[in-house]
Amino acid sequence: MHPTTDGRYRVLGRPHDPAELLLLSVEAIDADRVPTEPVAGAGGAEPTDSADSVDSADSADALAPVYLDTERFDYEGDLAATVEALRAGVLVDATIEWVDGDPRFDAVSVVAETAFEFYDDVTGLFEAAKRTWMVAEGDNAPMHGRVTKNTDGDPNGALYVFAKQSGARDLFEEFRTGVTPLDPLVRRADRAESVPPERDQARAVFVLRPVAEPFVVVYVVFRRDGVLAEALRSTYG
Protein backbone atom coordinates (compact mmCIF):
# COMPACT_ATOMS: atom_id res chain seq x y z
CA MET A 1 0.00 0.00 0.00
CA HIS A 2 1.32 3.40 -0.98
CA PRO A 3 1.20 6.46 1.31
CA THR A 4 -1.47 9.02 0.49
CA THR A 5 -2.07 12.72 1.10
CA ASP A 6 -5.57 14.12 1.44
CA GLY A 7 -6.09 17.85 0.98
CA ARG A 8 -7.53 20.79 -0.85
CA TYR A 9 -5.46 22.04 -3.74
CA ARG A 10 -5.41 24.85 -6.25
CA VAL A 11 -4.64 23.66 -9.75
CA LEU A 12 -2.05 25.90 -11.40
CA GLY A 13 -2.19 24.26 -14.82
CA ARG A 14 0.97 23.30 -16.65
CA PRO A 15 3.25 26.36 -16.45
CA HIS A 16 6.51 24.38 -16.79
CA ASP A 17 5.76 21.29 -18.86
CA PRO A 18 2.64 20.19 -20.77
CA ALA A 19 2.99 16.74 -19.18
CA GLU A 20 3.14 18.08 -15.61
CA LEU A 21 0.05 19.23 -13.74
CA LEU A 22 0.99 21.65 -10.96
CA LEU A 23 -0.97 21.75 -7.67
CA LEU A 24 -0.56 23.92 -4.59
CA SER A 25 -2.07 23.00 -1.22
CA VAL A 26 -4.27 25.82 0.04
CA GLU A 27 -4.84 24.49 3.56
CA ALA A 28 -1.74 26.03 5.13
CA ILE A 29 -1.96 29.38 3.34
CA ASP A 30 -2.84 32.30 5.60
CA ALA A 31 -5.96 33.91 4.16
CA ASP A 32 -5.01 37.29 5.69
CA ARG A 33 -1.50 37.28 4.29
CA VAL A 34 -0.65 39.90 1.67
CA PRO A 35 1.05 37.89 -1.09
CA THR A 36 4.26 39.84 -1.58
CA GLU A 37 6.87 37.33 -0.41
CA PRO A 38 7.58 33.93 -1.98
CA VAL A 39 6.67 31.05 0.31
CA ALA A 40 6.64 27.84 -1.72
CA GLY A 41 9.53 25.51 -2.33
CA ALA A 42 10.96 24.69 -5.72
CA GLY A 43 10.18 20.98 -5.80
CA GLY A 44 7.37 18.55 -5.20
CA ALA A 45 6.19 17.72 -1.69
CA GLU A 46 6.53 14.03 -0.87
CA PRO A 47 5.18 12.83 2.48
CA THR A 48 7.84 11.59 4.88
CA ASP A 49 5.50 10.08 7.50
CA SER A 50 5.56 6.30 7.57
CA ALA A 51 1.78 6.10 8.04
CA ASP A 52 -0.48 5.36 5.10
CA SER A 53 -2.21 8.74 5.36
CA VAL A 54 -0.51 12.11 5.79
CA ASP A 55 -2.32 15.32 6.72
CA SER A 56 -1.02 17.84 4.17
CA ALA A 57 -1.93 20.81 6.38
CA ASP A 58 0.43 19.50 9.10
CA SER A 59 3.27 18.66 6.74
CA ALA A 60 6.38 20.82 6.84
CA ASP A 61 6.19 20.86 3.07
CA ALA A 62 2.51 21.83 2.94
CA LEU A 63 3.19 24.88 0.80
CA ALA A 64 5.54 23.17 -1.62
CA PRO A 65 4.04 22.63 -5.08
CA VAL A 66 3.17 19.14 -6.23
CA TYR A 67 3.98 18.18 -9.82
CA LEU A 68 1.94 15.29 -11.21
CA ASP A 69 3.25 13.65 -14.36
CA THR A 70 -0.04 13.00 -16.13
CA GLU A 71 1.64 10.91 -18.83
CA ARG A 72 3.29 8.40 -16.48
CA PHE A 73 0.11 7.07 -14.88
CA ASP A 74 -2.98 5.88 -16.70
CA TYR A 75 -6.31 7.00 -15.30
CA GLU A 76 -9.62 5.41 -16.17
CA GLY A 77 -13.29 6.34 -16.34
CA ASP A 78 -14.56 9.40 -14.50
CA LEU A 79 -11.19 10.03 -12.85
CA ALA A 80 -9.47 10.23 -16.24
CA ALA A 81 -12.08 12.69 -17.52
CA THR A 82 -11.78 14.87 -14.41
CA VAL A 83 -7.98 14.97 -14.54
CA GLU A 84 -8.00 15.80 -18.26
CA ALA A 85 -10.38 18.72 -17.66
CA LEU A 86 -8.36 20.36 -14.86
CA ARG A 87 -7.17 23.86 -15.72
CA ALA A 88 -5.38 26.67 -13.90
CA GLY A 89 -7.48 28.07 -11.06
CA VAL A 90 -9.72 25.09 -10.35
CA LEU A 91 -10.07 24.27 -6.64
CA VAL A 92 -10.17 20.55 -5.86
CA ASP A 93 -10.30 18.10 -3.01
CA ALA A 94 -7.90 15.30 -3.83
CA THR A 95 -6.25 12.18 -2.51
CA ILE A 96 -2.73 11.92 -3.87
CA GLU A 97 -1.02 8.54 -3.85
CA TRP A 98 2.78 8.40 -3.79
CA VAL A 99 4.11 5.62 -5.98
CA ASP A 100 7.87 5.16 -5.62
CA GLY A 101 8.09 8.79 -4.58
CA ASP A 102 6.01 10.10 -7.47
CA PRO A 103 2.50 11.53 -6.99
CA ARG A 104 -0.63 10.39 -8.81
CA PHE A 105 -4.30 11.09 -8.25
CA ASP A 106 -6.13 8.41 -6.32
CA ALA A 107 -9.31 10.52 -6.21
CA VAL A 108 -10.22 14.09 -7.10
CA SER A 109 -13.40 16.15 -6.91
CA VAL A 110 -13.90 19.72 -8.10
CA VAL A 111 -14.87 22.24 -5.41
CA ALA A 112 -14.95 25.35 -7.61
CA GLU A 113 -14.29 25.85 -11.31
CA THR A 114 -12.43 29.11 -10.82
CA ALA A 115 -10.17 30.23 -13.68
CA PHE A 116 -6.70 31.80 -13.37
CA GLU A 117 -5.76 33.74 -16.50
CA PHE A 118 -2.37 35.33 -17.14
CA TYR A 119 -1.74 38.03 -19.73
CA ASP A 120 1.75 39.42 -20.27
CA ASP A 121 2.87 42.60 -22.06
CA VAL A 122 -0.64 44.07 -22.03
CA THR A 123 -1.35 47.51 -23.46
CA GLY A 124 -4.28 49.85 -23.00
CA LEU A 125 -4.58 49.14 -19.28
CA PHE A 126 -7.96 50.13 -17.83
CA GLU A 127 -8.18 53.32 -15.79
CA ALA A 128 -9.29 51.73 -12.52
CA ALA A 129 -5.95 49.91 -12.31
CA LYS A 130 -4.02 53.10 -13.01
CA ARG A 131 -5.98 55.01 -10.36
CA THR A 132 -5.41 52.23 -7.84
CA TRP A 133 -1.68 52.44 -8.49
CA MET A 134 -1.76 56.22 -8.02
CA VAL A 135 -3.15 55.67 -4.52
CA ALA A 136 -0.34 53.20 -3.77
CA GLU A 137 2.24 55.69 -5.00
CA GLY A 138 0.66 58.48 -2.95
CA ASP A 139 0.88 56.29 0.16
CA ASN A 140 4.39 55.12 -0.75
CA ALA A 141 3.03 51.58 -0.49
CA PRO A 142 4.15 48.47 -2.46
CA MET A 143 0.53 47.46 -3.15
CA HIS A 144 -3.04 48.69 -2.95
CA GLY A 145 -6.46 47.14 -3.41
CA ARG A 146 -10.06 48.20 -3.87
CA VAL A 147 -13.46 46.68 -4.54
CA THR A 148 -14.98 47.51 -7.92
CA LYS A 149 -18.70 47.78 -8.64
CA ASN A 150 -20.91 47.46 -11.68
CA THR A 151 -23.25 50.15 -12.99
CA ASP A 152 -25.91 49.09 -10.49
CA GLY A 153 -23.52 49.60 -7.58
CA ASP A 154 -23.08 45.89 -6.86
CA PRO A 155 -19.57 44.54 -6.08
CA ASN A 156 -18.15 42.71 -9.09
CA GLY A 157 -14.46 42.32 -8.28
CA ALA A 158 -11.46 42.98 -6.06
CA LEU A 159 -8.65 44.85 -7.81
CA TYR A 160 -5.04 44.79 -6.59
CA VAL A 161 -1.84 46.36 -7.88
CA PHE A 162 1.64 45.24 -6.83
CA ALA A 163 4.85 47.10 -7.47
CA LYS A 164 7.23 45.27 -9.77
CA GLN A 165 9.93 43.72 -7.63
CA SER A 166 13.53 44.86 -7.71
CA GLY A 167 16.38 42.59 -8.71
CA ALA A 168 15.76 39.18 -10.24
CA ARG A 169 12.27 38.62 -8.77
CA ASP A 170 9.50 38.23 -11.32
CA LEU A 171 6.19 38.65 -9.47
CA PHE A 172 4.09 37.81 -12.53
CA GLU A 173 5.88 34.47 -12.91
CA GLU A 174 5.70 33.83 -9.17
CA PHE A 175 1.91 34.17 -9.30
CA ARG A 176 1.75 31.92 -12.36
CA THR A 177 3.78 29.12 -10.78
CA GLY A 178 2.41 29.39 -7.24
CA VAL A 179 5.68 30.52 -5.65
CA THR A 180 3.65 33.49 -4.43
CA PRO A 181 0.09 32.17 -3.94
CA LEU A 182 -2.98 33.99 -5.22
CA ASP A 183 -5.26 32.21 -2.77
CA PRO A 184 -5.16 34.88 -0.03
CA LEU A 185 -6.65 37.32 -2.52
CA VAL A 186 -9.27 34.82 -3.68
CA ARG A 187 -10.26 34.06 -0.09
CA ARG A 188 -10.77 37.73 0.67
CA ALA A 189 -13.52 37.74 -1.94
CA ASP A 190 -15.33 35.10 0.12
CA ARG A 191 -15.62 37.67 2.91
CA ALA A 192 -17.03 40.41 0.69
CA GLU A 193 -20.57 41.47 1.50
CA SER A 194 -23.30 40.02 -0.74
CA VAL A 195 -20.80 37.89 -2.71
CA PRO A 196 -21.50 34.12 -2.76
CA PRO A 197 -18.54 31.96 -1.69
CA GLU A 198 -16.23 30.53 -4.32
CA ARG A 199 -17.73 27.05 -4.09
CA ASP A 200 -21.09 28.54 -5.16
CA GLN A 201 -19.82 31.15 -7.62
CA ALA A 202 -16.55 30.43 -9.41
CA ARG A 203 -14.14 33.35 -9.78
CA ALA A 204 -12.03 34.55 -12.66
CA VAL A 205 -8.63 35.76 -11.51
CA PHE A 206 -6.75 37.87 -14.04
CA VAL A 207 -3.04 38.55 -13.60
CA LEU A 208 -1.84 41.28 -15.97
CA ARG A 209 1.67 42.59 -16.57
CA PRO A 210 1.47 45.91 -18.44
CA VAL A 211 4.16 46.93 -20.89
CA ALA A 212 4.37 50.56 -19.79
CA GLU A 213 3.41 50.49 -16.09
CA PRO A 214 5.62 49.76 -13.03
CA PHE A 215 3.19 47.32 -11.44
CA VAL A 216 1.43 43.97 -11.80
CA VAL A 217 -2.37 43.75 -11.65
CA VAL A 218 -4.37 41.00 -9.95
CA TYR A 219 -8.11 41.28 -10.55
CA VAL A 220 -10.32 38.81 -8.69
CA VAL A 221 -13.58 38.96 -10.65
CA PHE A 222 -16.44 37.52 -8.64
CA ARG A 223 -18.25 35.88 -11.58
CA ARG A 224 -16.06 33.73 -13.82
CA ASP A 225 -18.36 34.07 -16.83
CA GLY A 226 -19.91 37.44 -16.02
CA VAL A 227 -19.87 40.62 -18.08
CA LEU A 228 -16.71 41.99 -16.44
CA ALA A 229 -14.73 38.77 -16.95
CA GLU A 230 -15.76 38.53 -20.59
CA ALA A 231 -14.79 42.16 -21.16
CA LEU A 232 -11.31 41.55 -19.73
CA ARG A 233 -10.84 38.43 -21.87
CA SER A 234 -11.90 40.20 -25.04
CA THR A 235 -9.59 43.14 -24.28
CA TYR A 236 -6.43 41.33 -23.19
CA GLY A 237 -6.85 37.77 -24.41
Side-chain angles (χ1 to χ4, degrees):
M1 181 177 291
H2 301 292
T4 60
T5 303
D6 293 318
R8 180 158 291 182
Y9 298 88
R10 184 72 65 178
V11 179
L12 298 179
R14 295 171 168 81
H16 295 303
D17 187 327
E20 286 185 336
L21 192 65
L22 175 58
L23 307 181
L24 186 67
S25 171
V26 301
E27 295 174 325
I29 296 176
D30 183 357
D32 293 317
R33 175 181 171 274
V34 177
T36 56
E37 294 297 329
V39 297
E46 178 183 349
T48 57
D49 198 302
S50 59
D52 291 335
S53 181
V54 179
D55 185 348
S56 63
D58 293 336
S59 171
D61 293 325
L63 287 176
V66 178
Y67 299 92
L68 291 99
D69 187 340
T70 57
E71 294 184 354
R72 176 182 174 187
F73 300 105
D74 293 327
Y75 298 107
E76 298 179 352
D78 292 342
L79 180 58
T82 301
V83 172
E84 177 63 26
L86 294 177
R87 297 292 182 269
V90 174
L91 187 65
V92 300
D93 285 334
T95 298
I96 295 175
E97 183 180 25
W98 300 84
V99 181
D100 298 328
D102 293 327
R104 72 179 301 277
F105 282 118
D106 185 63
V108 59
S109 61
V110 174
V111 176
E113 294 185 349
T114 291
F116 284 2
E117 304 184 33
F118 298 85
Y119 300 114
D120 201 359
D121 295 332
V122 304
T123 58
L125 190 65
F126 54 98
E127 287 301 317
K130 294 180 180 179
R131 290 196 299 270
T132 303
W133 176 246
M134 289 175 63
V135 174
E137 280 193 310
D139 293 341
N140 196 28
M143 63 83 66
H144 185 65
R146 53 167 290 197
V147 173
T148 61
K149 298 181 178 180
N150 61 20
T151 54
D152 294 325
D154 299 321
N156 61 1
L159 175 64
Y160 301 91
V161 292
F162 295 87
K164 290 182 179 178
Q165 304 299 297
S166 59
R169 281 195 63 190
D170 185 339
L171 190 57
F172 178 87
E173 189 67 11
E174 287 181 13
F175 282 137
R176 193 175 74 93
T177 57
V179 171
T180 298
L182 289 165
D183 262 271
L185 302 180
V186 180
R187 292 190 192 183
R188 289 184 184 190
D190 279 356
R191 299 199 294 262
E193 187 177 355
S194 303
V195 178
E198 183 187 4
R199 66 177 181 273
D200 297 327
Q201 181 173 285
R203 319 295 188 205
V205 182
F206 295 89
V207 183
L208 312 175
R209 177 158 52 188
V211 170
E213 306 290 349
F215 55 87
V216 172
V217 177
V218 178
Y219 203 171
V220 182
V221 177
F222 297 152
R223 289 186 177 275
R224 184 197 62 192
D225 298 322
V227 173
L228 176 58
E230 292 300 334
L232 289 166
R233 290 187 188 101
S234 64
T235 300
Y236 302 113

